[in-house]
Amino acid sequence: MTVHNRSCRRFVVGLAVAALFLSGAITRAEDGYRLWLRYDSLPKEMIDAYRTRVTSVVISGNSATLNAVRSELVDGCSGLLGSSIQTAATLDRNGAVVVGTPASSPLIAGLHWDRQLADLGPEGFRIVSLELNHHSAIVVTSIGEIGSLYGTFYLLRLIQTLQPISHLDVSEKPHLQLRILDHWDNLDGSVERGYAGKSLWDWKTLPERVDRRLTDYARANASVGINGSLLNNVNANSQSLSAEYLIKTAAIADTFRPYGIHVYLSARFSAPIDLGGLKTADPLDPEVATWWKKKADEIYHLIPDFGGFVVKANSEGQPGPRTYNRSHVDGANMLAAALAPHKGVVIWRAFIYDAKPDYDRAAAAYDNLQPFDGEFAANVLLQVKNGPIDFQPREPFHPLFGAMPKTQLMPEFQITQEYLGFSNHLVFLAQMWREVFDSDTYDRGVGSTVSKVVDGSLYAHRLTGIAGVANTGSDRNWTGHHFAQANWYAFGRLAWNPDLASRRIAEEWINMTFTHNAKAVTVIARIMLESHEAIVDYMTPLGLHHLMWGGHHYGPAPWWDTEPRPDWNPVYYHRADELGLGFDRTATGSNAVSRYHVEVRDRFANLDTCPEKYLLWFHHVPWDYRMHSGRTMWDELALHYQRGVDWVRGARKDWDGLAGVIDNQRYNEVAQKLAIQERDAIWWRDAVLLYFQTFAKRPLPAGVAPPQKTLAEYKAKSLAW
Ligand code: GCW
């Protein structure tokens, strides 16, 4: 190529790029970074309905939160309505959106809504369409600035999901108080059970440099009402509480504060020894208590709105009060006393299981903690996983819910998919969480659901909360799989209101994230709403659990029996033998079922009334046992696995049909993940059925495809992710 040719080409390329810019044809990359806060222009035929209602933004005051409200509203409305919406100092035309608190806005103060707003609290809000100073307006208000921010996101969501806004009269407040994302992030940037890249916190460059991404993280959380963030792994490093790291944490807290997010830290129980040089961490030692009080003072000096400590004690090798022969109450209450003067809380994890001979892990947390009901300090919450084992694809609800009426329990859900196909499998977890919330504990008679335990209404608790183990990371799309974003979204929506329907959550998210095309929304919602049952089918149907490969937990290994603790091995959980399959947790076995209320216990303990989805969780069932369908248990089991595989194939076809409706990048990325999901579902079906067949000694029923490899091949190498 001659020099002339090269420069000529450069010129032409330059012209083309400039032309693209001018025509607006260069759109943003569809890499998923914007999550559900995309603010792309609404379908043309819809815009006019909103344009007359939203013409300007009137926000007086200049706090960090009000500034965040202003820029969100201006960006959001300008993007959605395809024209620049400006801020205005006064209400001089129709269509103003007026946002603020009675204290920040004279217009709002003039409405005299103080009583109603006080009832809704500082995070609650009202949104009303009305006439104000002879102009039509929409008022978004709260007694707290954070409430106005939440109201702003609510209004934006209405527009994003094409809801009418001409006659609004909305009053909302969160059902749960502490709505926290737990990050299992290590100080070296790795994330325990994280499948979306590295930690979002770059400890090396903090506090000098705070990644812009943290503001976007805070916006996303605030948009669904998440108000807390636990920054470090519950398998904690004491260094997180050192002066050096607290300054870094304070910089993160400063970034989150305008968005109403409080930071929490995992406290390693041995920190007084590790950092303070004390000889002991015995919670009843006065020097230890003093060390924690001073540490709390130091933290609150830097971070006045610090949320509190989360503690994993005497579990999986973590130190705790039992190390000193003290109780969990001794440990929790000692820390609670240090935080109480600052209004901080202690979140004590109930994920405690010891390895006594012949014990059943499903009863361990209950036996360790239930006897202490009523003894925890007022600022302690007990954080209980949704089920009694460990975030399995399906578990019955944890028996502690409904068994500790005098203790503030908060559920812990796992948003990251440790046991559910990492960031490779599409599974919408709202379905699974709904099942937990809707479970009836019977503690105060029929209708004593987990959601009523959790929202405090069953026992009139003051302090309530919920935690979700985050699935976020440094990946450009935040969560590895585009659909995993829906689980972050759903967690926030359910934390705000545990009674929300999963369909509603799914449809909101699809409209905001992918498309307004009604047909496509229906297809995608169906995929999402069916996905949880499908993953249960191809991983652990009929109440099976913990069949995963040791250590990393990706893919099946029901034969696994080499972990140092029996209860880390799949064989401990499925108990397959020549007679049948499943863990007898009734009176003839471990009797873990007795930890549930009598109504629940009797239903689960009786083979005829036990829901089949929990059958092998509670019973050791003969291979030829007749299921409700009339088929044998073995045949039914095999057909569940096949059904799971078939579902993934169907979902792939459905997704393929969306070509052209979804942007290319996300369409292709999701399609590729679905291909992996199909590969894995087949692997699960084949490996598990081949292995159980060595006990069942029965042929696969008609309709179940023959395995693609031998059992030896499946045992030789784990599935790769
Ligand atoms: O699910 C298990 C995980 C561990 C985790 C533990 C816990 C943080 O395999 O990685 O540790 O639960 O919840 O404490």
Side-chain angles (χ1 to χ4, degrees), residues 184 192-193 233-235 312 315-316 349 351 353 361 385 389-391 412 414 418-419 469 551 553:
W184 288 353
E192 180 153 349
R193 311 304 179 186
N233 193 348
V234 290
N235 289 330
K312 173 173 176 177
S315 166
E316 302 185 331
R349 293 181 85 234
F351 184 65
Y353 56 103
R361 180 167 163 188
K385 290 189 180 181
I389 299 290
D390 189 13
F391 299 139
E412 176 175 339
Q414 197 179 41
E418 172 181 358
Y419 295 99
V469 182
H553 298 159

Side-chain angles (χ1 to χ4, degrees), residues 64-229:
T65 298
L66 289 171
N67 291 343
V69 170
R70 192 178 289 114
S71 71
E72 199 72 36
L73 205 49
V74 166
D75 288 356
C77 291
S78 303
L80 289 164
L81 307 187
S83 58
S84 136
I85 304 290
Q86 303 289 337
T87 56
T90 54
L91 219 175
D92 57 2
R93 63 183 121 157
N94 285 334
V97 180
V98 183
V99 192
T101 67
S104 74
S105 161
L107 278 170
I108 290 171
L111 293 169
H112 303 293
W113 288 350
D114 303 38
R115 275 269 305 279
Q116 292 107 302
L117 296 184
D119 285 346
L120 295 170
E123 294 186 318
F125 54 83
R126 281 194 82 187
I127 307 179
V128 185
S129 324
L130 40 58
E131 285 274 315
L132 202 55
N133 296 352
H134 309 295
H135 295 293
S136 70
I138 295 175
V139 170
V140 181
T141 181
S142 164
I143 46 161
E145 292 188 352
I146 297 303
S148 333
L149 176 69
Y150 289 164
T152 300
F153 278 116
Y154 188 103
L155 176 65
L156 284 165
R157 179 162 66 233
L158 290 177
I159 303 174
Q160 285 173 285
T161 56
L162 307 179
Q163 301 302 305
I165 59 167
S166 41
H167 297 95
L168 292 174
D169 190 353
V170 175
S171 293
E172 280 267 334
K173 68 173 175 183
H175 294 214
L176 306 181
Q177 283 175 268
L178 312 179
R179 306 175 298 277
I180 307 174
L181 277 190
D182 282 5
H183 293 268
W184 288 353
D185 292 17
N186 300 312
L187 297 183
D188 65 2
S190 62
V191 179
E192 180 153 349
R193 311 304 179 186
Y195 314 107
K198 307 267 283 174
S199 172
L200 290 169
W201 338 125
D202 185 1
W203 296 109
K204 287 196 204 86
T205 58
L206 283 161
E208 288 80 9
R209 175 181 169 275
V210 183
D211 192 344
R212 154 80 210 178
R213 210 169 164 151
L214 269 53
T215 302
D216 289 330
Y217 164 90
R219 288 174 52 235
N221 280 333
S223 76
V224 286
I226 290 169
N227 68 359
S229 189

Side-chain angles (χ1 to χ4, degrees), residues 367-515:
D367 295 351
N368 268 300
L369 293 160
Q370 197 284 332
F372 294 106
D373 188 29
E375 293 183 33
F376 287 99
N379 59 332
V380 175
L381 296 110
L382 203 58
Q383 180 166 298
V384 182
K385 290 189 180 181
N386 54 277
I389 299 290
D390 189 13
F391 299 139
Q392 294 303 296
R394 169 170 277 140
E395 299 193 26
F397 71 94
H398 202 300
L400 278 174
F401 294 114
M404 297 187 75
K406 289 180 260 165
T407 306
Q408 306 171 123
L409 301 191
M410 61 187 272
E412 176 175 339
F413 292 159
Q414 197 179 41
I415 311 172
T416 189
Q417 294 167 225
E418 172 181 358
Y419 295 99
L420 289 111
F422 294 6
S423 54
N424 281 333
H425 293 202
L426 187 165
V427 52
F428 182 49
L429 296 173
Q431 284 293 79
M432 180 168 100
W433 300 331
R434 269 262 53 81
E435 194 170 293
V436 178
F437 280 134
D438 293 341
S439 300
D440 200 339
T441 70
Y442 283 89
D443 189 40
R444 295 285 190 265
V446 185
S448 305
T449 56
V450 171
S451 87
K452 287 189 186 149
V453 172
V454 168
D455 72 14
S457 59
L458 196 66
Y459 309 127
H461 278 314
R462 198 178 50 81
L463 189 59
T464 56
I466 186 168
V469 182
N471 62 350
T472 49
S474 60
D475 277 5
R476 183 68 191 160
N477 70 6
W478 299 89
T479 55
H481 195 309
H482 290 291
F483 274 83
Q485 297 179 354
N487 294 329
W488 179 8
Y489 181 83
F491 171 76
R493 297 290 285 131
L494 287 170
W496 182 270
N497 177 2
D499 296 323
L500 278 185
S502 347
R503 172 173 295 279
R504 168 163 170 200
I505 299 172
E507 287 177 353
E508 280 176 10
W509 178 81
I510 299 163
N511 267 279
M512 296 164 82
T513 310
F514 272 118
T515 177

Side-chain angles (χ1 to χ4, degrees), residues 614-635:
Y614 303 137
L615 192 68
L616 305 176
W617 186 282
F618 289 109
H619 299 273
H620 191 70
V621 178
W623 296 108
D624 283 331
Y625 173 79
R626 287 284 153 199
M627 305 290 286
H628 295 315
S629 64
R631 285 188 278 268
T632 65
M633 183 271 281
W634 164 251
D635 284 358

Side-chain angles (χ1 to χ4, degrees), residues 68 82 89-90 103 121 213 217 238 261 291 332 339 407 426 447 472 522 533 651 655 679 701:
T90 54
R213 210 169 164 151
Y217 164 90
S238 292
I261 298 168
W291 187 87
L339 296 175
T407 306
L426 187 165
T472 49
T522 306
E533 202 59 49
W655 186 257
R679 176 204 67 177

